[in-house]
Structures are given as structure tokens and as C-alpha cells.
């Protein structure tokens, strides 16, 4: 049973949970990979985080919404900026990250690697 203070805590963390693509579940339903958030010494809510690959898809969708056009329609410079932003967020540490990004940008894996190498050489 959650009290009014607990409900305020849950409401306060909900935007963060939504932004990372997580799901809020009761603490007694938490799995071993879930994160139980405590408030005033008691578990109030558990957060079930998405798989990394799902997070990359969410990041790509958010970037596309922010740009207002499909990522594949961006010019070369804008695509390079997207690759830099994704690298800063760890997108290429995800298995098949380069392939996923290349597909979203409408370029080859080789092109994504060139964008990454260009940044490191600059």
C-alpha cells in the first residue's frame, strides 16, 4: 500500500523512467534485474529497464522526432552529427549497434565506421 508521499515520489520519477523506456512495477514483483527505488526506508516502486537494443531504437526514434524528418533524409553533415551524438551515448557498445544505426541513417556500415573514424582523427 502506497501513501500520498509515495505517490508523489512515483510521480516524480515517472518522467525519468519513461525517458529511458523503463516500466514501473510493484516492488514485490521485482525481478533480479529490476531496480527497486526506496523512499523513506521502504521500497516504493521497481523499475524494469529495457534491453540495450530496445534503448537504441528509442534513442533513434527520439532523434528522428527531434529532427522532424526521417534520419535517412538528413544530409551528410547532419548524419555525422547524429553518429557523434550516438557515440557519446554509447550506442556502438550495443551488439549490432553499427548495423542498426546504418539502417536508420540509410547508409552502409562502412559509412558509419568512416564517420566514427573521422571524428577520432579530427
Amino acid at each position: 500500500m502506497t501513501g500520498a508521499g509515495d505517490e508523489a515520489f512515483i510521480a516524480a520519477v515517472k518522467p525519468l523512467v519513461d525517458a529511458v523506456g523503463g516500466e514501473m512495477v510493484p516492488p514485490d514483483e521485482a525481478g533480479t534485474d529490476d531496480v527497486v527505488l526506496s523512499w523513506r526506508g521502504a521500497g516504493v516502486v521497481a523499475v524494469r529497464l529495457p534491453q540495450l537494443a530496445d534503448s537504441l531504437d528509442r534513442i533513434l526514434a527520439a532523434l528522428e522526432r527531434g529532427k522532424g524528418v526521417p534520419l535517412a533524409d538528413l544530409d551528410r553533415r547532419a548524419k555525422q552529427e547524429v553518429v557523434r551524438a550516438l557515440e557519446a551515448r554509447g550506442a556502438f557498445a550495443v551488439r549490432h549497434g553499427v548495423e542498426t544505426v546504418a539502417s536508420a541513417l540509410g547508409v552502409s556500415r562502412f559509412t558509419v565506421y568512416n564517420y566514427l573514424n573521422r571524428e577520432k582523427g579530427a
Side-chain angles (χ1 to χ4, degrees):
M1 183 92 158
T2 58
D6 295 345
E7 294 298 330
F9 176 77
I10 291 169
V13 299
K14 186 173 182 348
L16 176 62
V17 173
D18 290 344
V20 300
E23 175 188 2
M24 297 169 94
V25 297
D28 59 342
E29 294 178 19
T32 57
D33 292 334
D34 297 336
V35 179
V36 177
L37 302 178
S38 295
W39 178 248
R40 298 184 180 162
V44 177
V45 67
V47 178
R48 186 161 292 148
L49 298 171
Q51 298 297 313
L52 287 176
D54 295 337
S55 295
L56 180 54
D57 290 337
R58 289 180 60 84
I59 291 168
L60 288 166
L63 285 169
E64 192 166 273
R65 280 192 307 275
K67 300 285 185 187
V69 296
L71 296 177
D73 291 349
L74 297 173
D75 63 23
R76 183 175 59 87
R77 183 176 298 271
K79 288 178 181 182
Q80 288 171 337
E81 291 171 4
V82 166
V83 168
R84 280 193 297 274
L86 290 169
E87 182 179 31
R89 294 181 78 172
F92 302 109
V94 176
R95 183 178 174 150
H96 303 297
V98 171
E99 292 86 350
T100 301
V101 171
S103 177
L105 293 175
V107 299
S108 69
R109 288 181 8 217
F110 181 75
T111 299
V112 172
Y113 284 118
N114 278 340
Y115 292 167
L116 289 167
N117 290 333
R118 177 168 302 187
E119 182 63 22
K120 288 180 172 100

